[in-house]
Amino acid sequence: MKMDKKKDKDFWNSTSAASYAMRKMIRTAWPNANKPMEKFREIYPILGDEETKFLRKGFSGGLVYATDNWMFKDINQPILHIDAHNMHPSQAYFHKFPCGKGTYFEGKPDTTGSRMSCCRIRISYTGVKLHSVIQLIGMKTAQDYELTVWDFEIPTMMKCYENLEIEYVDGYSYATRFFPWRQFYMTNYVMRLKARKIGDAFEVMYRKGLNNSSFGKLCEKPHNVVFVNTINNNGVIDSDIVPVDKEDIKTGARYTYLPAGSAIPAFSRVCLIETALLFGWRKVIYFDTDSIFVIDDAESEAVWDTLPKEDMLGNWGREPDI
């Protein structure tokens, strides 16, 4: 039975599409809780200032760049363009993610058990096949360059950067678990497919919006300024920015939990690069968050034939050839 959207309290209590999606997502995990946010914070707590600053340095979005091998070159061959279905929601559905507060460590992370670590490292390399790290795009070589990455990004980096050397400095280690709301992503995707079949355009966009809008709130920065309405010397209505009192400064916003929020796009980048490498790095032309553009030939078609194509989370679709 369809929900009456006009009576949806979460909608009327939200100030943006993202906050609405987050409310619906959290309520999916704890449908019978009177205060689902308290349940959320039991697993995904507010973190301290030092841990938050560390994690901020490791947060990046999607990969968007033309590869060095094809930049500024005329391409007189067909181009194959493939696109991941709901890339970020797919990663959020299929992987385990950090929870709780991190344990600080120095040196190399402990990889035993079901743990995940955000690591500060120093790297050197002599050449690039593909860039898997946004901060390195445009850098053909590096010497003792400091980065903050998730440990699961490093095996992919080893495939992308020639003669890669890594020195581990420190980091934070986390226990991991599946998101309690992971079914939220699958439900929205399936409902979207059903809506498309019956031509319900609103429901298609509604379900798409729920899946695509929720992730960003996990990474949101706090709003540590206050705007006060004033009338200036010319009698014009204006506003002044008033800093928040020191004791009221926050390290995150209402839904912020950076370990999970930053790991989602990191998993997406790994998925994108690992899939692109199947075609051979020399054929890869361009990346656009969840899309890969490669030279189209018999070998590329053979690789494409091996990829999962069902219209479902975690699979790939083919866009019109260029």
Side-chain angles (χ1 to χ4, degrees), residues 43-58 96-105 109-120 148-152 170-177 257-263:
I43 302 174
Y44 307 103
I46 295 169
L47 304 179
D49 189 44
E50 287 302 311
E51 189 174 349
T52 297
K53 284 180 181 177
F54 187 96
L55 292 162
R56 283 276 174 216
K57 292 179 181 177
K96 289 183 177 181
F97 285 89
C99 57
K101 294 188 177 181
T103 301
Y104 178 77
F105 64 86
D110 179 8
T111 55
T112 59
S114 182
R115 296 193 71 82
M116 186 183 294
S117 297
C118 189
C119 309
R120 177 159 45 192
T148 303
V149 298
W150 286 97
D151 53 1
F152 60 81
D170 60 0
Y172 285 87
S173 175
Y174 298 87
T176 62
R177 58 174 291 172
Y257 182 70
L258 270 174
S262 65

Side-chain angles (χ1 to χ4, degrees), residues 36-319:
M37 269 305 296
E38 290 185 2
K39 296 290 186 182
F40 172 79
R41 282 301 179 200
E42 285 175 11
I43 302 174
Y44 307 103
I46 295 169
L47 304 179
D49 189 44
E50 287 302 311
E51 189 174 349
T52 297
K53 284 180 181 177
F54 187 96
L55 292 162
R56 283 276 174 216
K57 292 179 181 177
F59 172 64
S60 298
L63 286 167
V64 181
Y65 72 94
T67 61
D68 290 346
N69 205 35
W70 293 97
M71 195 180 292
F72 306 122
K73 292 183 181 178
D74 290 332
I75 301 173
N76 299 308
Q77 301 170 250
I79 297 172
L80 172 64
H81 171 199
I82 65 171
D83 185 84
H85 297 312
N86 256 193
M87 176 65 96
H88 289 339
S90 292
Q91 306 312 310
Y93 178 78
F94 285 108
H95 293 285
K96 289 183 177 181
F97 285 89
C99 57
K101 294 188 177 181
T103 301
Y104 178 77
F105 64 86
E106 293 183 346
K108 211 168 182 179
D110 179 8
T111 55
T112 59
S114 182
R115 296 193 71 82
M116 186 183 294
S117 297
C118 189
C119 309
R120 177 159 45 192
I121 58 176
R122 293 193 182 95
I123 65 165
S124 301
Y125 58 85
T126 59
V128 180
K129 294 174 182 173
L130 298 175
H131 281 292
S132 65
V133 178
I134 290 177
Q135 295 94 317
L136 300 178
I137 293 173
M139 295 176 59
K140 295 185 177 181
T141 63
Q143 182 66 41
D144 203 31
Y145 188 84
E146 187 172 289
L147 282 175
T148 303
V149 298
W150 286 97
D151 53 1
F152 60 81
E153 296 182 82
I154 292 172
T156 300
M157 292 174 64
M158 298 297 292
K159 300 175 185 178
C160 292
Y161 299 96
E162 296 173 349
N163 301 310
L164 179 64
E165 296 180 358
I166 298 176
E167 177 190 349
Y168 290 88
V169 181
D170 60 0
Y172 285 87
S173 175
Y174 298 87
T176 62
R177 58 174 291 172
F178 286 111
F179 285 138
W181 56 79
R182 68 189 289 258
Q183 193 58 39
F184 173 85
Y185 305 110
M186 183 61 77
T187 298
N188 285 325
Y189 200 91
V190 170
M191 293 298 289
R192 178 181 161 193
L193 292 179
K194 289 180 178 178
R196 189 184 294 159
K197 282 184 180 179
I198 62 173
D200 188 342
F202 176 84
E203 189 73 12
V204 169
M205 291 305 296
Y206 174 73
R207 296 294 174 175
K208 184 178 181 180
L210 284 178
N211 263 6
N212 291 344
S213 299
S214 56
F215 133 79
K217 281 289 183 180
L218 292 168
C219 313
E220 190 175 14
K221 289 185 177 180
H223 307 288
N224 286 321
V225 293
V226 176
F227 294 90
V228 177
N229 292 333
T230 61
I231 297 177
N232 63 25
N233 293 333
N234 297 319
V236 177
I237 296 173
D238 202 348
S239 59
D240 289 335
I241 298 175
V242 180
V244 176
D245 291 339
K246 238 180 185 181
E247 59 270 19
D248 294 328
I249 289 178
K250 300 175 182 177
T251 58
R254 176 173 171 77
Y255 302 105
T256 306
Y257 182 70
L258 270 174
S262 65
I264 291 173
F267 273 121
S268 293
R269 293 191 298 271
V270 167
C271 176
L272 198 72
I273 292 295
E274 291 288 348
T275 304
L277 287 170
L278 297 174
F279 292 93
W281 67 270
R282 287 184 175 86
K283 293 185 181 179
V284 181
I285 298 167
Y286 182 71
F287 293 106
D288 192 353
T289 305
D290 58 359
S291 296
I292 305 171
F293 297 74
V294 299
I295 295 295
D296 191 10
D297 56 20
E299 291 177 349
S300 295
E301 290 292 340
V303 173
W304 167 242
D305 286 343
T306 67
L307 297 182
K309 301 176 186 65
E310 182 187 359
D311 194 353
M312 191 50 63
L313 290 179
N315 293 342
W316 295 84
R318 183 169 185 159
E319 300 295 325

Side-chain angles (χ1 to χ4, degrees), residues 3-10 12:
M3 175 186 66
D4 186 349
K5 306 291 194 302
K6 292 181 180 179
K7 296 179 180 178
D8 187 352
K9 291 182 180 179
D10 290 321
W12 297 108

